[in-house]
Amino acid sequence: MSVLEVRDLSIELMTTGGVIRAVDGVSFSIDAGQTVAIIGESGSGKSTTAMGLLRLLPDDLAVISGHAMLDGVDVVTEPKKFAKLRGRSVSLIPQDAMTALSPVHTIGRQLGEAVLRKGAMSKADLNRRCLELLEQVRIPSPDAQLKKYPHQLSGGMLQRVLIAMALAVDPVLLVADEPTSALDVTVQAGILDLLMELQERTSVAILMITHDLGVARLVSDRIHVMKDGKFVESGEVEQIVEHPQTEYTQKLLAAVPKLGHWDGEPQHNAPVFNPATSNTLNGAHP
Amino acid sequence: MSATLQTPAGTLPAKDLVLSVKNLTVDYAVHRSTFRAVDDVSFDVPRGSTVAIVGESGCGKSTIAKAIVRLLTPTSGQILLSGQDIARMPARQLRPLRAKVQMVFQDPYGSLDPHLTAEDIVAEPLTLRGIRSAKERRAEAAKLIDQVGLPSSALGRRPAEFSGGQRQRIGIARALASKPELLVCDEATSALDVSVQAQVLDLLADIQQATGLTYLMISHNLGVVRESSSHVLVMSKGRIVEQGPTEQVLTTPRDPYTRALRAAALDPLTMTGRKPRDVVSRLNKVAPQGEPVLMEEAS
């Protein structure tokens, strides 16, 4: 049963240079408990797709067409109904944790606000729920963190707070826009692990927007490769990474700096796409 | 650790070292105390080589870059540029030497003056090099723009008209204009898409092959380090925790921190395990003792 069903979604942006079709007829669906990644380079339209689906693009500058069914509501044609779902059935985990939170309000105040989207509750209940959420995202000594301001926490911890806020409303869909791009790699693994653990427990569907093929490979079930507003290739994660069909995906994979094998990890023996032997890539990169 | 691992440079005569850093320490003033950003760091950069410094945010790698180009004055230690110590050299004495070390910055959007054309940007250092004739400067700027793979039509355009990758090429041309002996690239490709990053790394390699230029690459990306450098220093908390030939450090890292960094780096083509949990468990296995990596960020 699909949580999100997108059919023929197009988004046109009004810019000073004219109308740009940033998203050009994409279709995809996400089931409960599934993670679907849209990967692409800057300007490919991946973030516009996510923001369009959340109706976070300004109405006078972005024209959305097509269909996107979420929780029985068509996001495209029923914006008023959808406004009630945003922050309830669907939540966003933004990219930059440092700027996503208000610098002048405490973590507790901002997390509490997200919790109250679900409905009013007593102060004591609210506090209890906030502590529970911070524990769920494995933040140490949550009691103390609630009283802190964003600048007093590290980037990884702030990202955990944002995940807690997104989960506060028990959403059916999480949209994660580059949730780990601003973080160090050793912190990234923990955040992705946390997301997957929460997904296992709550069966939330995740739409992951990323430019990082490694991240996409690690968390997603399906990958859509986006370029110039269109999906150039879609498929199961193994298929995309190990047997890319289109030249663009092959080039993208070939451009990722190779790390090679190391002694801390068993050798990967599955047949893997090898840029060096692919004919289409001659001269793409040494 | 750094004392026991000899750099390949250690066996070369001193004149073949473009840069030799000895016991470099940089303290920042924080409130009423100091924070030691770089702590007793020593390394050599042989002429014509590429040496990389890798580490996570806050490890001190950019502070080292800033000290080498003397955007800041180190607290103690030596920075030998072709044998001459510039660590605490007065500004006036330093000025003629500044051309020898140039920097390519991380942010291609913030590091170029938006009011100037590409030609102005590249030609400015030529004035400092003593080229007085405007005609000669223009000819030299055109040559540099061509060297970084941009069309001559780029000369009259301003930064806003270029993509991130093209801007980084202008930044490289500007750095080359002073005829440096050492190019410090501080996360020069981090803001770029992977395909553009590959092109810029290729360009840097081509320039090195043609001119024998020496690079110090500052990066947080192990993949970039592997593709660009022959020798790598791994930094954590202001110290070099491991150094050696890049291939050796990446395939058989010895220090727990390097192992953690390697375990967390994701290469979509060669990584094993299909779940973040696999990465986390590998991370925790190699994490420095008593200091679980995942909790390190908790304050």
mmCIF file of all heavy atoms in Angstrom, chain A residues 67-107:
data_model
loop_
_atom_site.group_PDB
_atom_site.id
_atom_site.type_symbol
_atom_site.label_atom_id
_atom_site.label_comp_id
_atom_site.label_asym_id
_atom_site.label_seq_id
_atom_site.Cartn_x
_atom_site.Cartn_y
_atom_site.Cartn_z
ATOM 1 N N HIS A 67 -0.268 14.853 -10.190
ATOM 2 C CA HIS A 67 -0.972 14.349 -9.011
ATOM 3 C C HIS A 67 0.018 13.799 -8.006
ATOM 4 O O HIS A 67 1.037 13.230 -8.379
ATOM 5 C CB HIS A 67 -1.946 13.243 -9.408
ATOM 6 C CG HIS A 67 -3.066 13.736 -10.262
ATOM 7 N ND1 HIS A 67 -4.140 14.408 -9.742
ATOM 8 C CD2 HIS A 67 -3.254 13.680 -11.600
ATOM 9 C CE1 HIS A 67 -4.962 14.752 -10.729
ATOM 10 N NE2 HIS A 67 -4.440 14.317 -11.875
ATOM 11 N N ALA A 68 -0.280 13.955 -6.720
ATOM 12 C CA ALA A 68 0.527 13.362 -5.665
ATOM 13 C C ALA A 68 -0.403 13.039 -4.515
ATOM 14 O O ALA A 68 -0.848 13.935 -3.808
ATOM 15 C CB ALA A 68 1.626 14.321 -5.237
ATOM 16 N N MET A 69 -0.750 11.757 -4.368
ATOM 17 C CA MET A 69 -1.696 11.353 -3.329
ATOM 18 C C MET A 69 -0.959 10.987 -2.048
ATOM 19 O O MET A 69 -0.065 10.136 -2.057
ATOM 20 C CB MET A 69 -2.520 10.141 -3.790
ATOM 21 C CG MET A 69 -3.422 10.417 -4.986
ATOM 22 S SD MET A 69 -4.613 11.748 -4.695
ATOM 23 C CE MET A 69 -5.637 10.975 -3.446
ATOM 24 N N LEU A 70 -1.323 11.644 -0.960
ATOM 25 C CA LEU A 70 -0.744 11.342 0.338
ATOM 26 C C LEU A 70 -1.877 11.293 1.355
ATOM 27 O O LEU A 70 -2.602 12.274 1.507
ATOM 28 C CB LEU A 70 0.272 12.434 0.739
ATOM 29 C CG LEU A 70 0.900 12.256 2.111
ATOM 30 C CD1 LEU A 70 2.098 11.341 2.034
ATOM 31 C CD2 LEU A 70 1.285 13.589 2.721
ATOM 32 N N ASP A 71 -2.027 10.158 1.996
ATOM 33 C CA ASP A 71 -3.056 10.034 3.017
ATOM 34 C C ASP A 71 -4.440 10.424 2.482
ATOM 35 O O ASP A 71 -5.219 11.083 3.168
ATOM 36 C CB ASP A 71 -2.696 10.945 4.213
ATOM 37 C CG ASP A 71 -2.742 10.157 5.523
ATOM 38 O OD1 ASP A 71 -2.990 8.941 5.454
ATOM 39 O OD2 ASP A 71 -2.514 10.757 6.588
ATOM 40 N N GLY A 72 -4.742 10.068 1.234
ATOM 41 C CA GLY A 72 -6.041 10.353 0.656
ATOM 42 C C GLY A 72 -6.246 11.775 0.197
ATOM 43 O O GLY A 72 -7.339 12.150 -0.198
ATOM 44 N N VAL A 73 -5.172 12.577 0.245
ATOM 45 C CA VAL A 73 -5.288 13.964 -0.192
ATOM 46 C C VAL A 73 -4.377 14.173 -1.388
ATOM 47 O O VAL A 73 -3.238 13.704 -1.402
ATOM 48 C CB VAL A 73 -4.887 14.925 0.957
ATOM 49 C CG1 VAL A 73 -4.813 16.362 0.460
ATOM 50 C CG2 VAL A 73 -5.858 14.801 2.110
ATOM 51 N N ASP A 74 -4.891 14.862 -2.407
ATOM 52 C CA ASP A 74 -4.022 15.191 -3.530
ATOM 53 C C ASP A 74 -3.281 16.487 -3.220
ATOM 54 O O ASP A 74 -3.879 17.560 -3.152
ATOM 55 C CB ASP A 74 -4.829 15.331 -4.826
ATOM 56 C CG ASP A 74 -3.921 15.403 -6.049
ATOM 57 O OD1 ASP A 74 -2.774 15.889 -5.900
ATOM 58 O OD2 ASP A 74 -4.334 14.951 -7.131
ATOM 59 N N VAL A 75 -1.980 16.347 -2.998
ATOM 60 C CA VAL A 75 -1.144 17.480 -2.610
ATOM 61 C C VAL A 75 -1.225 18.600 -3.633
ATOM 62 O O VAL A 75 -1.202 19.784 -3.290
ATOM 63 C CB VAL A 75 0.324 17.004 -2.479
ATOM 64 C CG1 VAL A 75 1.255 18.163 -2.190
ATOM 65 C CG2 VAL A 75 0.442 15.931 -1.402
ATOM 66 N N VAL A 76 -1.354 18.223 -4.907
ATOM 67 C CA VAL A 76 -1.315 19.216 -5.978
ATOM 68 C C VAL A 76 -2.624 19.984 -6.084
ATOM 69 O O VAL A 76 -2.638 21.212 -6.146
ATOM 70 C CB VAL A 76 -0.977 18.543 -7.326
ATOM 71 C CG1 VAL A 76 -0.978 19.568 -8.455
ATOM 72 C CG2 VAL A 76 0.377 17.859 -7.233
ATOM 73 N N THR A 77 -3.751 19.259 -6.083
ATOM 74 C CA THR A 77 -5.032 19.921 -6.347
ATOM 75 C C THR A 77 -5.777 20.354 -5.084
ATOM 76 O O THR A 77 -6.736 21.102 -5.163
ATOM 77 C CB THR A 77 -5.959 19.005 -7.171
ATOM 78 O OG1 THR A 77 -6.135 17.788 -6.435
ATOM 79 C CG2 THR A 77 -5.352 18.684 -8.523
ATOM 80 N N GLU A 78 -5.346 19.845 -3.932
ATOM 81 C CA GLU A 78 -6.049 20.205 -2.689
ATOM 82 C C GLU A 78 -5.093 20.823 -1.674
ATOM 83 O O GLU A 78 -4.889 20.267 -0.581
ATOM 84 C CB GLU A 78 -6.706 18.961 -2.090
ATOM 85 C CG GLU A 78 -7.692 18.286 -3.022
ATOM 86 C CD GLU A 78 -8.144 16.922 -2.496
ATOM 87 O OE1 GLU A 78 -7.323 15.996 -2.446
ATOM 88 O OE2 GLU A 78 -9.316 16.815 -2.136
ATOM 89 N N PRO A 79 -4.492 21.971 -2.010
ATOM 90 C CA PRO A 79 -3.477 22.564 -1.128
ATOM 91 C C PRO A 79 -3.999 22.899 0.264
ATOM 92 O O PRO A 79 -3.268 22.784 1.240
ATOM 93 C CB PRO A 79 -3.040 23.828 -1.879
ATOM 94 C CG PRO A 79 -4.098 24.091 -2.884
ATOM 95 C CD PRO A 79 -4.725 22.784 -3.217
ATOM 96 N N LYS A 80 -5.286 23.286 0.361
ATOM 97 C CA LYS A 80 -5.815 23.664 1.686
ATOM 98 C C LYS A 80 -5.901 22.451 2.599
ATOM 99 O O LYS A 80 -5.533 22.497 3.767
ATOM 100 C CB LYS A 80 -7.201 24.309 1.523
ATOM 101 C CG LYS A 80 -7.093 25.715 0.969
ATOM 102 C CD LYS A 80 -8.052 26.654 1.700
ATOM 103 C CE LYS A 80 -7.832 28.094 1.304
ATOM 104 N NZ LYS A 80 -8.476 28.440 0.023
ATOM 105 N N LYS A 81 -6.414 21.338 2.035
ATOM 106 C CA LYS A 81 -6.480 20.102 2.823
ATOM 107 C C LYS A 81 -5.084 19.639 3.193
ATOM 108 O O LYS A 81 -4.840 19.154 4.298
ATOM 109 C CB LYS A 81 -7.177 18.996 2.003
ATOM 110 C CG LYS A 81 -8.664 18.943 2.172
ATOM 111 C CD LYS A 81 -9.170 17.636 1.595
ATOM 112 C CE LYS A 81 -10.677 17.601 1.527
ATOM 113 N NZ LYS A 81 -11.154 16.478 0.705
ATOM 114 N N PHE A 82 -4.159 19.774 2.228
ATOM 115 C CA PHE A 82 -2.805 19.290 2.495
ATOM 116 C C PHE A 82 -2.111 20.097 3.583
ATOM 117 O O PHE A 82 -1.326 19.554 4.363
ATOM 118 C CB PHE A 82 -1.944 19.307 1.222
ATOM 119 C CG PHE A 82 -0.514 18.921 1.488
ATOM 120 C CD1 PHE A 82 -0.195 17.596 1.801
ATOM 121 C CD2 PHE A 82 0.503 19.861 1.486
ATOM 122 C CE1 PHE A 82 1.100 17.232 2.093
ATOM 123 C CE2 PHE A 82 1.805 19.497 1.785
ATOM 124 C CZ PHE A 82 2.100 18.177 2.084
ATOM 125 N N ALA A 83 -2.428 21.400 3.654
ATOM 126 C CA ALA A 83 -1.806 22.247 4.676
ATOM 127 C C ALA A 83 -2.029 21.678 6.076
ATOM 128 O O ALA A 83 -1.215 21.858 6.981
ATOM 129 C CB ALA A 83 -2.342 23.667 4.573
ATOM 130 N N LYS A 84 -3.151 20.956 6.242
ATOM 131 C CA LYS A 84 -3.436 20.361 7.553
ATOM 132 C C LYS A 84 -2.588 19.117 7.796
ATOM 133 O O LYS A 84 -2.374 18.702 8.932
ATOM 134 C CB LYS A 84 -4.926 20.008 7.646
ATOM 135 C CG LYS A 84 -5.793 21.246 7.652
ATOM 136 C CD LYS A 84 -7.197 20.929 8.183
ATOM 137 C CE LYS A 84 -8.037 22.191 8.263
ATOM 138 N NZ LYS A 84 -9.026 22.287 7.175
ATOM 139 N N LEU A 85 -2.140 18.500 6.706
ATOM 140 C CA LEU A 85 -1.318 17.287 6.855
ATOM 141 C C LEU A 85 0.149 17.605 7.097
ATOM 142 O O LEU A 85 0.876 16.834 7.725
ATOM 143 C CB LEU A 85 -1.417 16.421 5.583
ATOM 144 C CG LEU A 85 -2.775 15.850 5.219
ATOM 145 C CD1 LEU A 85 -2.634 14.922 4.018
ATOM 146 C CD2 LEU A 85 -3.360 15.077 6.392
ATOM 147 N N ARG A 86 0.570 18.758 6.576
ATOM 148 C CA ARG A 86 1.987 19.103 6.716
ATOM 149 C C ARG A 86 2.327 19.306 8.176
ATOM 150 O O ARG A 86 1.639 20.010 8.895
ATOM 151 C CB ARG A 86 2.312 20.368 5.921
ATOM 152 C CG ARG A 86 3.800 20.599 5.775
ATOM 153 C CD ARG A 86 4.157 21.966 5.260
ATOM 154 N NE ARG A 86 3.450 22.325 4.059
ATOM 155 C CZ ARG A 86 2.618 23.354 3.980
ATOM 156 N NH1 ARG A 86 2.393 24.112 5.023
ATOM 157 N NH2 ARG A 86 2.014 23.630 2.863
ATOM 158 N N GLY A 87 3.390 18.638 8.624
ATOM 159 C CA GLY A 87 3.724 18.715 10.040
ATOM 160 C C GLY A 87 2.872 17.779 10.872
ATOM 161 O O GLY A 87 2.925 17.791 12.090
ATOM 162 N N ARG A 88 2.019 16.956 10.212
ATOM 163 C CA ARG A 88 1.253 15.924 10.921
ATOM 164 C C ARG A 88 1.507 14.571 10.262
ATOM 165 O O ARG A 88 2.188 13.730 10.810
ATOM 166 C CB ARG A 88 -0.233 16.265 10.910
ATOM 167 C CG ARG A 88 -0.552 17.479 11.756
ATOM 168 C CD ARG A 88 -1.984 17.460 12.272
ATOM 169 N NE ARG A 88 -2.218 18.602 13.146
ATOM 170 C CZ ARG A 88 -2.628 19.787 12.727
ATOM 171 N NH1 ARG A 88 -2.876 19.992 11.450
ATOM 172 N NH2 ARG A 88 -2.800 20.762 13.586
ATOM 173 N N SER A 89 0.959 14.399 9.024
ATOM 174 C CA SER A 89 1.183 13.126 8.327
ATOM 175 C C SER A 89 2.547 13.090 7.657
ATOM 176 O O SER A 89 3.119 12.036 7.429
ATOM 177 C CB SER A 89 0.116 12.912 7.257
ATOM 178 O OG SER A 89 -1.143 12.819 7.860
ATOM 179 N N VAL A 90 3.027 14.255 7.294
ATOM 180 C CA VAL A 90 4.328 14.319 6.626
ATOM 181 C C VAL A 90 5.201 15.367 7.299
ATOM 182 O O VAL A 90 4.730 16.436 7.659
ATOM 183 C CB VAL A 90 4.162 14.603 5.110
ATOM 184 C CG1 VAL A 90 3.312 15.828 4.879
ATOM 185 C CG2 VAL A 90 5.506 14.778 4.426
ATOM 186 N N SER A 91 6.471 14.981 7.545
ATOM 187 C CA SER A 91 7.406 15.923 8.164
ATOM 188 C C SER A 91 8.661 16.032 7.324
ATOM 189 O O SER A 91 9.007 15.120 6.594
ATOM 190 C CB SER A 91 7.858 15.457 9.550
ATOM 191 O OG SER A 91 6.801 15.121 10.347
ATOM 192 N N LEU A 92 9.333 17.140 7.507
ATOM 193 C CA LEU A 92 10.575 17.391 6.778
ATOM 194 C C LEU A 92 11.759 17.359 7.739
ATOM 195 O O LEU A 92 11.698 17.906 8.835
ATOM 196 C CB LEU A 92 10.505 18.766 6.101
ATOM 197 C CG LEU A 92 11.794 19.319 5.497
ATOM 198 C CD1 LEU A 92 12.171 18.562 4.234
ATOM 199 C CD2 LEU A 92 11.672 20.807 5.186
ATOM 200 N N ILE A 93 12.830 16.677 7.308
ATOM 201 C CA ILE A 93 14.108 16.814 8.016
ATOM 202 C C ILE A 93 14.999 17.662 7.119
ATOM 203 O O ILE A 93 15.423 17.207 6.069
ATOM 204 C CB ILE A 93 14.776 15.454 8.279
ATOM 205 C CG1 ILE A 93 13.850 14.566 9.088
ATOM 206 C CG2 ILE A 93 16.104 15.642 9.004
ATOM 207 C CD1 ILE A 93 14.386 13.173 9.290
ATOM 208 N N PRO A 94 15.223 18.921 7.501
ATOM 209 C CA PRO A 94 15.982 19.805 6.610
ATOM 210 C C PRO A 94 17.478 19.508 6.642
ATOM 211 O O PRO A 94 17.974 18.778 7.491
ATOM 212 C CB PRO A 94 15.674 21.196 7.149
ATOM 213 C CG PRO A 94 15.269 20.988 8.559
ATOM 214 C CD PRO A 94 14.802 19.588 8.728
ATOM 215 N N GLN A 95 18.165 20.125 5.671
ATOM 216 C CA GLN A 95 19.582 19.845 5.481
ATOM 217 C C GLN A 95 20.460 20.464 6.555
ATOM 218 O O GLN A 95 21.275 19.785 7.164
ATOM 219 C CB GLN A 95 20.003 20.400 4.112
ATOM 220 C CG GLN A 95 21.499 20.383 3.889
ATOM 221 C CD GLN A 95 21.861 20.689 2.460
ATOM 222 O OE1 GLN A 95 21.020 21.064 1.657
ATOM 223 N NE2 GLN A 95 23.104 20.501 2.118
ATOM 224 N N ASP A 96 20.287 21.759 6.762
ATOM 225 C CA ASP A 96 21.247 22.457 7.602
ATOM 226 C C ASP A 96 20.699 22.642 9.012
ATOM 227 O O ASP A 96 19.943 23.561 9.289
ATOM 228 C CB ASP A 96 21.578 23.811 6.974
ATOM 229 C CG ASP A 96 22.731 24.484 7.699
ATOM 230 O OD1 ASP A 96 23.134 23.970 8.757
ATOM 231 O OD2 ASP A 96 23.220 25.510 7.220
ATOM 232 N N ALA A 97 21.128 21.771 9.894
ATOM 233 C CA ALA A 97 20.606 21.788 11.254
ATOM 234 C C ALA A 97 20.939 23.084 11.986
ATOM 235 O O ALA A 97 20.211 23.514 12.865
ATOM 236 C CB ALA A 97 21.154 20.599 12.033
ATOM 237 N N MET A 98 22.063 23.684 11.592
ATOM 238 C CA MET A 98 22.504 24.901 12.291
ATOM 239 C C MET A 98 21.535 26.063 12.058
ATOM 240 O O MET A 98 21.354 26.902 12.924
ATOM 241 C CB MET A 98 23.891 25.338 11.794
ATOM 242 C CG MET A 98 24.923 24.244 11.835
ATOM 243 S SD MET A 98 25.512 23.932 13.501
ATOM 244 C CE MET A 98 26.728 22.665 13.202
ATOM 245 N N THR A 99 20.950 26.135 10.863
ATOM 246 C CA THR A 99 20.086 27.272 10.576
ATOM 247 C C THR A 99 18.596 26.915 10.607
ATOM 248 O O THR A 99 17.760 27.795 10.552
ATOM 249 C CB THR A 99 20.410 27.868 9.188
ATOM 250 O OG1 THR A 99 20.310 26.824 8.224
ATOM 251 C CG2 THR A 99 21.796 28.441 9.132
ATOM 252 N N ALA A 100 18.289 25.623 10.691
ATOM 253 C CA ALA A 100 16.884 25.222 10.641
ATOM 254 C C ALA A 100 16.156 25.571 11.937
ATOM 255 O O ALA A 100 14.937 25.726 11.946
ATOM 256 C CB ALA A 100 16.777 23.731 10.366
ATOM 257 N N LEU A 101 16.902 25.687 13.024
ATOM 258 C CA LEU A 101 16.272 25.979 14.314
ATOM 259 C C LEU A 101 16.416 27.459 14.656
ATOM 260 O O LEU A 101 17.349 28.121 14.211
ATOM 261 C CB LEU A 101 16.937 25.135 15.408
ATOM 262 C CG LEU A 101 16.670 23.633 15.302
ATOM 263 C CD1 LEU A 101 17.677 22.847 16.134
ATOM 264 C CD2 LEU A 101 15.261 23.297 15.730
ATOM 265 N N SER A 102 15.481 27.952 15.431
ATOM 266 C CA SER A 102 15.559 29.344 15.865
ATOM 267 C C SER A 102 16.659 29.494 16.911
ATOM 268 O O SER A 102 16.702 28.746 17.878
ATOM 269 C CB SER A 102 14.223 29.772 16.461
ATOM 270 O OG SER A 102 14.420 30.903 17.281
ATOM 271 N N PRO A 103 17.549 30.463 16.714
ATOM 272 C CA PRO A 103 18.655 30.628 17.668
ATOM 273 C C PRO A 103 18.224 31.228 19.008
ATOM 274 O O PRO A 103 18.963 31.147 19.976
ATOM 275 C CB PRO A 103 19.623 31.561 16.933
ATOM 276 C CG PRO A 103 18.777 32.320 15.969
ATOM 277 C CD PRO A 103 17.638 31.397 15.588
ATOM 278 N N VAL A 104 17.023 31.832 19.049
ATOM 279 C CA VAL A 104 16.639 32.533 20.277
ATOM 280 C C VAL A 104 15.634 31.755 21.128
ATOM 281 O O VAL A 104 15.154 32.265 22.128
ATOM 282 C CB VAL A 104 16.077 33.949 19.964
ATOM 283 C CG1 VAL A 104 17.153 34.816 19.345
ATOM 284 C CG2 VAL A 104 14.865 33.874 19.052
ATOM 285 N N HIS A 105 15.311 30.531 20.714
ATOM 286 C CA HIS A 105 14.424 29.707 21.532
ATOM 287 C C HIS A 105 15.128 28.410 21.931
ATOM 288 O O HIS A 105 15.949 27.903 21.173
ATOM 289 C CB HIS A 105 13.138 29.386 20.762
ATOM 290 C CG HIS A 105 12.317 30.600 20.462
ATOM 291 N ND1 HIS A 105 12.168 31.100 19.184
ATOM 292 C CD2 HIS A 105 11.623 31.426 21.276
ATOM 293 C CE1 HIS A 105 11.414 32.182 19.229
ATOM 294 N NE2 HIS A 105 11.068 32.402 20.477
ATOM 295 N N THR A 106 14.766 27.884 23.093
ATOM 296 C CA THR A 106 15.427 26.667 23.552
ATOM 297 C C THR A 106 14.972 25.474 22.722
ATOM 298 O O THR A 106 13.949 25.509 22.043
ATOM 299 C CB THR A 106 15.099 26.370 25.033
ATOM 300 O OG1 THR A 106 13.675 26.199 25.141
ATOM 301 C CG2 THR A 106 15.545 27.501 25.936
ATOM 302 N N ILE A 107 15.768 24.394 22.807
ATOM 303 C CA ILE A 107 15.437 23.145 22.137
ATOM 304 C C ILE A 107 14.056 22.666 22.605
ATOM 305 O O ILE A 107 13.209 22.279 21.810
ATOM 306 C CB ILE A 107 16.502 22.069 22.478
ATOM 307 C CG1 ILE A 107 17.890 22.514 22.019
ATOM 308 C CG2 ILE A 107 16.128 20.709 21.907
ATOM 309 C CD1 ILE A 107 18.056 22.679 20.546
#
